[in-house]
Amino acid sequence: MASVLTKRTARGALFGSLTALVLTLSGLGAPAASSADIPGKDEIAMSPNMRLVTNVPKQGPFAAASAYNSDLAFQGRYAFAGNYEGFVVYDISRPEQPEIVSQVHCPGSQNDVSVAGNLLFLSTDSSRSDDSCQSTSKPVTDPTAWEGIKIFDISDVRNPRYVKSIETECGSHTHTLLPGRRGEMYVYVSSYLPAVPSTGTGPDCREPHDKISVIKVPLKRPQAAAVVAEPVLFPDGGNPGDGLPYPEVTRATSGCHDLTTYPDKDLMAGACMGDGVLFDVSDPEEPRIVDIVRDDENFSFWHSATFNNDADKIVFTDELGGGGTATCNATIGPNKGADAIYDIVGKGRKAKLVFRSYYKIPRANADTENCVAHNGSLIPVKGKDIMVQAWYQGGISVWDFTDSRNPKEIGWFERGPFGDTLSPLGGSWSAYYYNGYIYSNDIQKGLDVLKIEDRRTDKAEKIRMDELNVHMQPDYFD
Protein backbone atom coordinates (compact mmCIF):
# COMPACT_ATOMS: atom_id res chain seq x y z
CA MET A 1 0.00 0.00 0.00
CA ALA A 2 1.31 3.46 -0.89
CA SER A 3 1.90 5.93 1.91
CA VAL A 4 0.04 9.17 1.17
CA LEU A 5 1.00 12.40 2.94
CA THR A 6 -1.51 15.22 2.51
CA LYS A 7 -0.79 18.90 2.99
CA ARG A 8 -3.45 21.17 1.57
CA THR A 9 -1.98 24.54 2.44
CA ALA A 10 1.67 24.21 1.39
CA ARG A 11 2.74 27.20 -0.63
CA GLY A 12 6.05 28.52 -1.92
CA ALA A 13 7.48 31.93 -1.35
CA LEU A 14 6.08 34.45 -3.83
CA PHE A 15 8.26 36.20 -6.36
CA GLY A 16 8.09 39.49 -4.48
CA SER A 17 9.64 37.99 -1.36
CA LEU A 18 12.82 36.83 -3.08
CA THR A 19 15.76 38.73 -1.67
CA ALA A 20 18.49 37.29 -3.87
CA LEU A 21 17.15 38.38 -7.26
CA VAL A 22 19.79 39.34 -9.80
CA LEU A 23 18.67 40.62 -13.18
CA THR A 24 21.30 39.96 -15.80
CA LEU A 25 20.73 41.48 -19.21
CA SER A 26 23.53 39.70 -21.06
CA GLY A 27 23.17 36.28 -22.66
CA LEU A 28 20.27 36.80 -25.05
CA GLY A 29 21.94 35.32 -28.09
CA ALA A 30 25.31 36.71 -26.99
CA PRO A 31 28.60 34.79 -26.66
CA ALA A 32 29.17 32.83 -23.46
CA ALA A 33 29.58 35.08 -20.44
CA SER A 34 32.76 35.21 -18.40
CA SER A 35 32.99 33.58 -14.99
CA ALA A 36 32.54 37.04 -13.44
CA ASP A 37 28.94 36.99 -14.70
CA ILE A 38 28.03 33.71 -13.00
CA PRO A 39 25.50 34.33 -10.20
CA GLY A 40 26.67 33.69 -6.68
CA LYS A 41 25.59 30.68 -4.66
CA ASP A 42 21.79 30.49 -4.69
CA GLU A 43 21.44 33.89 -6.39
CA ILE A 44 18.84 34.13 -9.14
CA ALA A 45 19.45 35.61 -12.57
CA MET A 46 17.06 35.92 -15.49
CA SER A 47 16.36 37.76 -18.72
CA PRO A 48 14.02 40.78 -18.48
CA ASN A 49 11.16 38.86 -20.11
CA MET A 50 11.21 36.04 -17.54
CA ARG A 51 9.62 36.09 -14.10
CA LEU A 52 9.79 33.64 -11.24
CA VAL A 53 6.20 33.46 -10.02
CA THR A 54 6.73 31.19 -7.03
CA ASN A 55 8.61 28.22 -5.63
CA VAL A 56 7.32 25.29 -3.57
CA PRO A 57 10.22 23.63 -1.71
CA LYS A 58 10.55 19.86 -1.39
CA GLN A 59 8.91 18.58 1.77
CA GLY A 60 8.67 15.57 4.07
CA PRO A 61 10.40 12.40 2.83
CA PHE A 62 11.17 14.23 -0.44
CA ALA A 63 13.21 16.99 1.20
CA ALA A 64 16.57 15.20 1.40
CA ALA A 65 19.32 16.12 -1.05
CA SER A 66 19.35 12.49 -2.23
CA ALA A 67 15.61 12.68 -3.07
CA TYR A 68 15.96 14.01 -6.61
CA ASN A 69 12.97 15.60 -8.32
CA SER A 70 12.47 14.16 -11.81
CA ASP A 71 9.80 14.40 -14.52
CA LEU A 72 6.42 16.18 -14.74
CA ALA A 73 2.98 15.46 -16.19
CA PHE A 74 -0.21 17.54 -16.20
CA GLN A 75 -3.94 16.95 -16.13
CA GLY A 76 -6.57 19.63 -15.70
CA ARG A 77 -5.74 21.70 -12.63
CA TYR A 78 -3.04 19.33 -11.41
CA ALA A 79 0.68 18.82 -11.93
CA PHE A 80 2.22 15.43 -11.11
CA ALA A 81 5.88 15.56 -10.18
CA GLY A 82 8.19 12.58 -9.95
CA ASN A 83 10.80 12.18 -7.24
CA TYR A 84 13.19 9.34 -6.45
CA GLU A 85 11.09 8.82 -3.29
CA GLY A 86 7.70 8.76 -5.05
CA PHE A 87 5.54 11.49 -6.58
CA VAL A 88 3.77 14.71 -5.61
CA VAL A 89 0.37 16.01 -6.76
CA TYR A 90 0.09 19.81 -6.94
CA ASP A 91 -3.06 21.86 -7.42
CA ILE A 92 -1.97 24.52 -9.93
CA SER A 93 -5.39 26.09 -10.52
CA ARG A 94 -3.80 29.24 -9.09
CA PRO A 95 -0.27 29.15 -10.51
CA GLU A 96 0.79 31.96 -8.17
CA GLN A 97 -0.09 29.77 -5.18
CA PRO A 98 0.32 26.04 -5.97
CA GLU A 99 -0.81 23.70 -3.22
CA ILE A 100 0.48 20.24 -2.44
CA VAL A 101 -2.54 17.94 -2.59
CA SER A 102 -0.75 14.71 -1.76
CA GLN A 103 2.66 13.06 -1.63
CA VAL A 104 2.92 9.35 -2.38
CA HIS A 105 5.99 7.84 -0.78
CA CYS A 106 7.08 5.00 -3.07
CA PRO A 107 10.89 4.84 -3.46
CA GLY A 108 12.50 3.73 -6.72
CA SER A 109 14.50 5.84 -9.16
CA GLN A 110 13.76 7.66 -11.39
CA ASN A 111 10.03 7.63 -10.76
CA ASP A 112 9.28 9.42 -14.02
CA VAL A 113 5.53 9.97 -14.32
CA SER A 114 2.80 10.18 -16.95
CA VAL A 115 -0.98 10.30 -16.70
CA ALA A 116 -3.91 9.05 -18.77
CA GLY A 117 -7.47 9.48 -17.56
CA ASN A 118 -7.67 8.11 -14.03
CA LEU A 119 -4.28 6.39 -14.23
CA LEU A 120 -0.76 7.44 -13.35
CA PHE A 121 2.26 5.46 -14.55
CA LEU A 122 5.50 5.45 -12.55
CA SER A 123 8.89 4.19 -13.75
CA THR A 124 11.14 2.19 -11.42
CA ASP A 125 14.72 1.77 -12.59
CA SER A 126 16.43 0.53 -9.45
CA SER A 127 16.60 -3.00 -8.19
CA ARG A 128 14.03 -3.40 -5.39
CA SER A 129 13.15 -6.11 -2.90
CA ASP A 130 9.59 -6.27 -4.31
CA ASP A 131 7.04 -4.20 -6.20
CA SER A 132 5.50 -2.53 -3.14
CA CYS A 133 5.93 1.06 -2.00
CA GLN A 134 7.68 -0.26 1.10
CA SER A 135 10.40 -2.01 -0.90
CA THR A 136 14.08 -1.70 -0.12
CA SER A 137 17.14 -1.76 -2.33
CA LYS A 138 18.28 -5.20 -3.47
CA PRO A 139 21.25 -6.40 -5.57
CA VAL A 140 20.47 -6.71 -9.27
CA THR A 141 22.07 -10.16 -9.20
CA ASP A 142 19.25 -11.43 -6.96
CA PRO A 143 16.68 -13.26 -9.15
CA THR A 144 13.85 -12.08 -6.87
CA ALA A 145 14.65 -8.37 -7.36
CA TRP A 146 11.98 -6.23 -9.05
CA GLU A 147 12.02 -3.29 -11.49
CA GLY A 148 9.40 -1.99 -13.90
CA ILE A 149 6.19 0.07 -14.10
CA LYS A 150 3.74 0.83 -11.31
CA ILE A 151 0.17 1.97 -12.03
CA PHE A 152 -1.87 4.17 -9.67
CA ASP A 153 -5.53 5.16 -9.74
CA ILE A 154 -5.67 8.96 -9.39
CA SER A 155 -9.44 9.41 -9.59
CA ASP A 156 -9.05 10.74 -6.03
CA VAL A 157 -5.91 12.87 -6.24
CA ARG A 158 -5.87 13.29 -2.47
CA ASN A 159 -5.55 9.54 -2.06
CA PRO A 160 -3.89 7.89 -5.09
CA ARG A 161 -4.33 4.13 -5.00
CA TYR A 162 -1.69 1.63 -6.17
CA VAL A 163 -3.43 -0.91 -8.42
CA LYS A 164 -0.89 -2.81 -10.53
CA SER A 165 2.77 -3.45 -11.28
CA ILE A 166 4.39 -4.86 -14.41
CA GLU A 167 7.96 -6.14 -14.24
CA THR A 168 10.05 -5.37 -17.29
CA GLU A 169 13.47 -6.51 -18.39
CA CYS A 170 16.09 -4.01 -17.19
CA GLY A 171 13.43 -2.03 -15.32
CA SER A 172 11.99 1.27 -16.56
CA HIS A 173 14.32 4.24 -16.77
CA THR A 174 11.71 6.26 -18.64
CA HIS A 175 8.43 5.46 -20.34
CA THR A 176 6.28 6.89 -23.12
CA LEU A 177 2.56 6.61 -23.86
CA LEU A 178 0.83 5.86 -27.16
CA PRO A 179 -2.98 5.57 -27.39
CA GLY A 180 -4.38 2.42 -28.97
CA ARG A 181 -7.49 2.25 -31.13
CA ARG A 182 -9.72 0.23 -28.81
CA GLY A 183 -9.59 2.08 -25.52
CA GLU A 184 -6.16 0.83 -24.50
CA MET A 185 -2.96 2.70 -23.80
CA TYR A 186 0.44 1.41 -24.81
CA VAL A 187 3.36 2.13 -22.50
CA TYR A 188 6.76 2.02 -24.19
CA VAL A 189 9.35 1.22 -21.54
CA SER A 190 12.90 2.44 -22.12
CA SER A 191 15.81 0.94 -20.24
CA TYR A 192 19.44 0.83 -21.19
CA LEU A 193 22.95 -0.23 -20.25
CA PRO A 194 22.40 -3.55 -18.48
CA ALA A 195 23.64 -3.31 -14.91
CA VAL A 196 25.26 -6.75 -15.13
CA PRO A 197 27.35 -7.52 -18.22
CA SER A 198 26.98 -10.78 -20.11
CA THR A 199 29.79 -12.30 -18.05
CA GLY A 200 28.04 -11.50 -14.76
CA THR A 201 25.59 -13.51 -12.68
CA GLY A 202 22.46 -11.40 -13.05
CA PRO A 203 19.37 -13.33 -14.21
CA ASP A 204 17.86 -10.44 -16.20
CA CYS A 205 18.94 -7.49 -18.28
CA ARG A 206 21.84 -9.03 -20.17
CA GLU A 207 23.65 -7.64 -23.15
CA PRO A 208 22.84 -7.26 -25.93
CA HIS A 209 19.84 -5.21 -24.83
CA ASP A 210 18.63 -3.68 -28.08
CA LYS A 211 14.91 -3.65 -27.39
CA ILE A 212 12.09 -1.98 -25.52
CA SER A 213 9.17 -3.42 -23.58
CA VAL A 214 5.65 -2.65 -24.80
CA ILE A 215 2.93 -2.79 -22.15
CA LYS A 216 -0.73 -2.83 -23.17
CA VAL A 217 -3.06 -1.24 -20.59
CA PRO A 218 -6.86 -1.50 -20.91
CA LEU A 219 -7.75 1.87 -19.40
CA LYS A 220 -10.95 0.54 -17.85
CA ARG A 221 -9.22 -2.61 -16.56
CA PRO A 222 -5.69 -1.59 -15.60
CA GLN A 223 -5.31 -4.78 -13.57
CA ALA A 224 -5.06 -6.59 -16.91
CA ALA A 225 -2.00 -4.60 -18.04
CA ALA A 226 0.79 -6.80 -19.37
CA VAL A 227 3.87 -6.83 -21.58
CA VAL A 228 2.68 -7.73 -25.09
CA ALA A 229 5.85 -7.22 -27.11
CA GLU A 230 9.60 -6.74 -26.76
CA PRO A 231 10.62 -5.53 -30.21
CA VAL A 232 14.32 -5.56 -31.02
CA LEU A 233 14.98 -2.10 -32.42
CA PHE A 234 18.60 -2.64 -33.39
CA PRO A 235 19.06 -6.14 -34.82
CA ASP A 236 22.51 -5.10 -36.07
CA GLY A 237 23.50 -4.05 -32.54
CA GLY A 238 23.29 -0.30 -33.07
CA ASN A 239 26.19 2.10 -32.63
CA PRO A 240 29.20 0.14 -31.30
CA GLY A 241 30.61 3.26 -29.61
CA ASP A 242 34.21 4.40 -29.75
CA GLY A 243 35.59 2.79 -26.60
CA LEU A 244 37.01 5.97 -25.09
CA PRO A 245 36.81 6.65 -21.33
CA TYR A 246 33.48 8.01 -20.14
CA PRO A 247 32.27 10.79 -20.35
CA GLU A 248 34.16 11.60 -23.57
CA VAL A 249 33.00 8.32 -25.08
CA THR A 250 30.37 7.99 -27.77
CA ARG A 251 28.21 5.44 -26.04
CA ALA A 252 27.43 2.09 -27.60
CA THR A 253 23.72 1.56 -28.15
CA SER A 254 22.31 -0.84 -25.58
CA GLY A 255 18.66 0.14 -25.36
CA CYS A 256 16.98 3.56 -25.54
CA HIS A 257 17.03 6.31 -22.97
CA ASP A 258 13.97 8.20 -24.11
CA LEU A 259 11.21 7.85 -26.67
CA THR A 260 8.78 10.57 -27.75
CA THR A 261 5.61 9.66 -29.62
CA TYR A 262 3.55 11.95 -31.85
CA PRO A 263 0.30 9.95 -32.05
CA ASP A 264 -1.44 12.17 -34.63
CA LYS A 265 1.43 11.55 -37.05
CA ASP A 266 2.09 7.87 -36.18
CA LEU A 267 5.69 8.88 -35.46
CA MET A 268 8.15 8.37 -32.64
CA ALA A 269 11.58 9.86 -32.04
CA GLY A 270 14.12 7.76 -30.17
CA ALA A 271 17.17 8.92 -28.25
CA CYS A 272 19.02 5.64 -27.97
CA MET A 273 22.45 6.15 -26.42
CA GLY A 274 24.59 6.13 -29.57
CA ASP A 275 21.77 6.62 -32.08
CA GLY A 276 19.07 9.13 -32.94
CA VAL A 277 16.09 7.38 -34.52
CA LEU A 278 12.85 8.18 -36.34
CA PHE A 279 10.18 5.47 -36.04
CA ASP A 280 6.84 4.68 -37.62
CA VAL A 281 4.43 3.53 -34.86
CA SER A 282 1.31 2.97 -36.95
CA ASP A 283 1.48 -0.57 -35.54
CA PRO A 284 2.01 0.15 -31.83
CA GLU A 285 3.33 -3.32 -31.07
CA GLU A 286 5.88 -3.28 -33.88
CA PRO A 287 7.66 0.09 -34.17
CA ARG A 288 9.48 0.34 -37.49
CA ILE A 289 12.70 2.30 -38.00
CA VAL A 290 12.45 4.97 -40.69
CA ASP A 291 15.92 6.49 -40.30
CA ILE A 292 18.91 6.45 -37.94
CA VAL A 293 21.56 9.15 -37.45
CA ARG A 294 24.81 9.31 -35.47
CA ASP A 295 27.18 12.05 -34.42
CA ASP A 296 30.33 10.39 -33.14
CA GLU A 297 32.24 13.68 -33.29
CA ASN A 298 30.12 15.70 -30.86
CA PHE A 299 27.39 13.55 -29.30
CA SER A 300 28.17 11.30 -26.36
CA PHE A 301 24.73 10.11 -25.20
CA TRP A 302 21.50 10.63 -27.14
CA HIS A 303 19.18 11.40 -24.23
CA SER A 304 15.80 12.79 -25.33
CA ALA A 305 13.91 14.05 -28.36
CA THR A 306 11.27 16.68 -29.19
CA PHE A 307 9.33 17.12 -32.44
CA ASN A 308 8.28 20.55 -33.61
CA ASN A 309 4.52 20.84 -34.04
CA ASP A 310 4.60 20.19 -37.80
CA ALA A 311 6.68 17.06 -37.18
CA ASP A 312 9.24 18.08 -39.78
CA LYS A 313 12.02 18.68 -37.24
CA ILE A 314 13.42 16.86 -34.22
CA VAL A 315 15.53 18.33 -31.44
CA PHE A 316 17.78 15.67 -29.89
CA THR A 317 19.69 16.28 -26.66
CA ASP A 318 23.13 15.04 -25.68
CA GLU A 319 23.50 14.23 -21.98
CA LEU A 320 27.29 14.45 -21.93
CA GLY A 321 28.64 13.26 -18.60
CA GLY A 322 25.34 11.76 -17.51
CA GLY A 323 24.05 15.06 -16.16
CA GLY A 324 26.48 15.02 -13.24
CA THR A 325 29.39 17.03 -14.64
CA ALA A 326 30.15 20.62 -15.59
CA THR A 327 29.84 20.81 -19.37
CA CYS A 328 28.57 24.39 -19.90
CA ASN A 329 31.95 26.04 -20.03
CA ALA A 330 34.63 27.09 -22.48
CA THR A 331 36.55 23.85 -21.95
CA ILE A 332 33.72 21.74 -23.36
CA GLY A 333 32.65 24.31 -25.96
CA PRO A 334 29.37 24.97 -27.80
CA ASN A 335 28.75 21.68 -29.62
CA LYS A 336 29.06 19.03 -26.91
CA GLY A 337 26.41 18.52 -24.25
CA ALA A 338 24.13 20.46 -26.58
CA ASP A 339 20.96 20.07 -28.63
CA ALA A 340 21.15 18.94 -32.25
CA ILE A 341 18.42 20.07 -34.64
CA TYR A 342 17.49 17.76 -37.50
CA ASP A 343 15.04 18.43 -40.32
CA ILE A 344 12.86 15.53 -41.44
CA VAL A 345 13.22 15.58 -45.23
CA GLY A 346 10.84 13.50 -47.32
CA LYS A 347 7.75 11.54 -46.39
CA GLY A 348 6.85 8.07 -45.20
CA ARG A 349 9.46 5.37 -45.54
CA LYS A 350 11.70 7.69 -47.56
CA ALA A 351 11.99 10.29 -44.81
CA LYS A 352 15.51 11.19 -43.72
CA LEU A 353 16.93 13.05 -40.75
CA VAL A 354 19.20 15.87 -41.94
CA PHE A 355 21.42 17.70 -39.46
CA ARG A 356 21.10 21.49 -39.43
CA SER A 357 22.74 22.96 -36.31
CA TYR A 358 23.55 22.75 -32.59
CA TYR A 359 22.10 24.82 -29.79
CA LYS A 360 23.61 25.33 -26.36
CA ILE A 361 22.93 27.94 -23.68
CA PRO A 362 25.17 30.97 -24.26
CA ARG A 363 26.16 31.47 -20.61
CA ALA A 364 29.15 30.16 -18.71
CA ASN A 365 28.52 27.99 -15.66
CA ALA A 366 30.78 27.41 -12.67
CA ASP A 367 32.84 24.23 -12.51
CA THR A 368 30.72 23.23 -9.50
CA GLU A 369 27.49 23.24 -11.56
CA ASN A 370 26.27 20.12 -13.33
CA CYS A 371 24.92 21.44 -16.61
CA VAL A 372 23.87 19.78 -19.85
CA ALA A 373 20.89 19.70 -22.23
CA HIS A 374 17.88 18.04 -20.55
CA ASN A 375 14.08 17.81 -20.68
CA GLY A 376 11.93 20.45 -22.38
CA SER A 377 8.73 21.03 -24.33
CA LEU A 378 7.30 23.19 -27.06
CA ILE A 379 5.75 26.56 -26.33
CA PRO A 380 2.80 26.42 -28.77
CA VAL A 381 3.06 29.44 -31.08
CA LYS A 382 1.53 28.82 -34.50
CA GLY A 383 4.04 29.23 -37.31
CA LYS A 384 6.98 29.21 -34.90
CA ASP A 385 9.15 26.53 -33.32
CA ILE A 386 9.86 27.66 -29.77
CA MET A 387 10.95 25.45 -26.91
CA VAL A 388 11.52 25.77 -23.17
CA GLN A 389 14.20 23.48 -21.82
CA ALA A 390 15.87 22.45 -18.56
CA TRP A 391 19.67 22.50 -18.32
CA TYR A 392 20.13 21.23 -14.76
CA GLN A 393 22.17 23.95 -12.98
CA GLY A 394 22.41 25.78 -16.29
CA GLY A 395 18.83 26.78 -15.54
CA ILE A 396 15.97 27.15 -18.01
CA SER A 397 16.28 28.37 -21.58
CA VAL A 398 13.54 29.52 -23.96
CA TRP A 399 14.79 29.32 -27.52
CA ASP A 400 13.54 29.62 -31.09
CA PHE A 401 14.50 27.04 -33.74
CA THR A 402 12.08 28.15 -36.47
CA ASP A 403 15.18 28.62 -38.60
CA SER A 404 16.73 25.24 -37.86
CA ARG A 405 20.10 26.46 -39.12
CA ASN A 406 20.11 29.47 -36.80
CA PRO A 407 18.55 28.78 -33.38
CA LYS A 408 18.54 31.61 -30.86
CA GLU A 409 17.71 32.07 -27.21
CA ILE A 410 14.90 34.49 -26.37
CA GLY A 411 14.65 34.11 -22.57
CA TRP A 412 16.31 32.39 -19.61
CA PHE A 413 16.34 31.81 -15.85
CA GLU A 414 18.99 30.33 -13.59
CA ARG A 415 20.28 30.08 -10.04
CA GLY A 416 23.90 30.28 -9.00
CA PRO A 417 25.70 27.14 -7.83
CA PHE A 418 23.75 24.97 -5.39
CA GLY A 419 26.87 23.99 -3.49
CA ASP A 420 30.65 24.13 -3.37
CA THR A 421 31.10 20.87 -5.31
CA LEU A 422 29.32 18.94 -8.05
CA SER A 423 27.67 16.78 -5.39
CA PRO A 424 24.79 16.63 -4.79
CA LEU A 425 23.09 16.87 -8.17
CA GLY A 426 21.08 20.07 -8.64
CA GLY A 427 19.15 22.24 -11.06
CA SER A 428 16.12 21.94 -13.31
CA TRP A 429 15.39 18.35 -14.36
CA SER A 430 12.29 19.12 -16.46
CA ALA A 431 10.95 22.48 -17.63
CA TYR A 432 7.60 22.35 -19.46
CA TYR A 433 5.04 24.87 -20.72
CA TYR A 434 1.45 24.22 -19.64
CA ASN A 435 -1.52 26.57 -20.02
CA GLY A 436 0.36 29.84 -19.90
CA TYR A 437 3.10 29.03 -17.39
CA ILE A 438 6.45 27.24 -17.27
CA TYR A 439 6.74 24.56 -14.58
CA SER A 440 10.18 23.35 -13.58
CA ASN A 441 10.88 20.39 -11.30
CA ASP A 442 14.14 21.50 -9.71
CA ILE A 443 16.10 18.56 -8.32
CA GLN A 444 16.82 20.29 -5.02
CA LYS A 445 14.73 23.45 -4.84
CA GLY A 446 11.31 21.94 -5.57
CA LEU A 447 8.64 23.16 -7.99
CA ASP A 448 9.32 26.48 -9.73
CA VAL A 449 6.54 28.32 -11.55
CA LEU A 450 7.73 30.84 -14.11
CA LYS A 451 6.21 33.18 -16.65
CA ILE A 452 7.62 34.43 -19.93
CA GLU A 453 6.18 37.75 -21.07
CA ASP A 454 7.30 38.30 -24.64
CA ARG A 455 5.48 39.18 -27.85
CA ARG A 456 7.06 36.13 -29.50
CA THR A 457 5.40 33.73 -27.06
CA ASP A 458 2.28 35.62 -25.90
CA LYS A 459 -0.01 33.83 -28.36
CA ALA A 460 0.74 30.52 -26.66
CA GLU A 461 -1.43 31.59 -23.73
CA LYS A 462 -4.52 31.00 -25.87
CA ILE A 463 -3.71 27.29 -26.16
CA ARG A 464 -5.27 25.30 -23.34
CA MET A 465 -4.68 21.63 -22.66
CA ASP A 466 -6.71 19.19 -20.60
CA GLU A 467 -3.77 16.80 -20.28
CA LEU A 468 -0.09 16.93 -21.16
CA ASN A 469 2.54 14.22 -21.16
CA VAL A 470 5.45 15.86 -22.92
CA HIS A 471 6.78 12.52 -24.21
CA MET A 472 3.45 11.97 -25.98
CA GLN A 473 3.31 15.13 -28.04
CA PRO A 474 -0.04 16.63 -29.01
CA ASP A 475 -0.82 18.53 -32.17
CA TYR A 476 -1.47 21.89 -30.54
CA PHE A 477 -3.29 23.38 -33.53
CA ASP A 478 -5.34 20.46 -34.84
Side-chain angles (χ1 to χ4, degrees):
M1 181 66 66
S3 172
V4 181
L5 308 177
T6 302
K7 184 159 184 168
R8 301 183 181 184
T9 60
R11 293 186 176 94
L14 293 176
F15 170 76
S17 69
L18 292 170
T19 59
L21 178 64
V22 179
L23 285 177
T24 305
L25 302 183
S26 62
L28 292 176
S34 69
S35 59
D37 297 318
I38 297 171
K41 185 176 178 180
D42 267 353
E43 286 185 331
I44 291 175
M46 64 187 75
S47 58
N49 58 355
M50 293 284 282
R51 176 167 62 93
L52 176 62
V53 177
T54 192
N55 167 266
V56 182
K58 299 193 300 182
Q59 299 176 28
F62 296 22
S66 59
Y68 299 158
N69 275 341
S70 58
D71 213 0
L72 290 164
F74 304 89
Q75 188 180 84
R77 62 190 286 183
Y78 299 106
F80 302 83
N83 180 285
Y84 276 47
E85 291 293 320
F87 65 91
V88 185
V89 182
Y90 296 93
D91 184 336
I92 56 171
S93 55
R94 294 186 296 169
E96 298 82 6
Q97 295 181 316
E99 297 184 358
I100 293 179
V101 175
S102 57
Q103 291 190 161
V104 177
H105 190 219
C106 195
S109 63
Q110 301 185 138
N111 279 340
D112 280 5
V113 295
S114 59
V115 292
N118 290 330
L119 302 180
L120 178 143
F121 303 94
L122 193 71
S123 281
T124 300
D125 189 35
S126 57
S127 187
R128 311 297 299 178
S129 58
D130 54 58
D131 64 352
S132 76
C133 285
Q134 292 76 43
S135 68
T136 57
S137 181
K138 200 167 194 177
V140 71
T141 52
D142 189 322
T144 67
W146 184 91
E147 299 178 74
I149 289 284
K150 299 183 179 86
I151 303 176
F152 289 79
D153 184 324
I154 53 171
S155 52
D156 179 0
V157 292
R158 299 193 181 279
N159 187 33
R161 183 171 56 87
Y162 184 13
V163 296
K164 174 72 175 180
S165 71
I166 305 98
E167 188 169 14
T168 57
E169 189 173 311
C170 289
S172 175
H173 194 70
T174 65
H175 68 269
T176 304
L177 303 184
L178 180 67
R181 293 178 172 84
R182 297 179 178 84
E184 73 275 13
M185 183 67 71
Y186 288 95
V187 181
Y188 286 176
V189 176
S190 295
S191 52
Y192 69 95
L193 194 64
V196 178
S198 56
T199 56
T201 58
D204 303 316
C205 199
R206 291 175 175 268
E207 293 178 334
H209 179 69
D210 296 321
K211 57 189 175 182
I212 60 173
S213 297
V214 180
I215 298 171
K216 186 176 181 180
V217 184
L219 292 178
K220 294 183 178 180
R221 294 185 302 110
Q223 296 85 354
V227 175
V228 294
E230 292 182 320
V232 174
L233 304 181
F234 305 99
D236 65 351
N239 193 333
D242 59 19
L244 295 175
Y246 191 68
E248 289 79 14
V249 65
T250 296
R251 301 294 291 275
T253 297
S254 184
C256 290
H257 182 278
D258 229 286
L259 300 167
T260 299
T261 58
Y262 197 144
D264 287 357
K265 309 288 187 180
D266 284 335
L267 292 175
M268 181 168 73
C272 300
M273 299 184 70
D275 294 286
V277 192
L278 177 64
F279 295 92
D280 180 321
V281 288
S282 52
D283 182 345
E285 296 182 22
E286 294 186 14
R288 182 179 58 81
I289 290 177
V290 177
D291 195 26
I292 297 178
V293 289
R294 294 174 181 170
D295 183 351
D296 291 345
E297 179 179 356
N298 285 311
F299 257 47
S300 170
F301 187 91
W302 298 69
H303 174 274
S304 55
T306 303
F307 290 98
N308 68 334
N309 197 71
D310 291 338
D312 57 14
K313 299 173 188 173
I314 300 176
V315 174
F316 289 103
T317 71
D318 174 18
E319 195 185 45
L320 174 68
T325 58
T327 70
C328 298
N329 52 36
T331 302
I332 300 299
N335 295 338
K336 295 185 177 183
D339 297 317
I341 305 164
Y342 284 78
D343 284 354
I344 301 174
V345 178
K347 301 292 183 180
R349 296 188 177 187
K350 296 183 179 180
K352 296 293 181 184
L353 293 168
V354 180
F355 173 77
R356 295 305 188 201
S357 65
Y358 298 106
Y359 171 77
K360 193 171 183 180
I361 57 171
R363 285 170 303 288
N365 268 219
D367 290 338
T368 59
E369 292 182 283
N370 56 291
C371 174
V372 76
H374 217 241
N375 294 353
S377 77
L378 296 182
I379 297 181
V381 179
K382 196 166 188 177
K384 297 289 185 180
D385 299 323
I386 299 175
M387 185 172 176
V388 58
Q389 186 176 6
W391 289 78
Y392 285 127
Q393 288 199 66
I396 296 165
S397 178
V398 178
W399 59 288
D400 186 325
F401 62 103
T402 307
D403 179 353
S404 55
R405 291 180 172 86
N406 186 34
K408 58 185 179 181
E409 185 172 70
I410 62 176
W412 57 273
F413 167 89
E414 70 166 314
R415 290 182 172 90
F418 178 74
D420 298 324
T421 67
L422 280 168
S423 181
L425 199 71
S428 178
W429 181 291
S430 300
Y432 300 148
Y433 185 91
Y434 180 70
N435 292 350
Y437 290 82
I438 294 167
Y439 296 89
S440 166
N441 212 19
D442 187 284
I443 295 167
Q444 300 295 348
K445 295 296 185 181
L447 182 73
D448 285 323
V449 183
L450 302 104
K451 185 82 170 172
I452 182 167
E453 295 166 333
D454 190 289
R455 60 178 176 76
R456 292 165 289 190
T457 59
D458 287 347
K459 291 181 180 178
E461 294 194 28
K462 298 178 181 179
I463 304 299
R464 295 283 148 169
M465 305 296 294
D466 296 323
E467 189 172 274
L468 180 64
N469 298 290
V470 166
H471 302 301
M472 182 177 68
Q473 283 192 225
D475 185 339
Y476 286 102
F477 309 111
D478 186 13

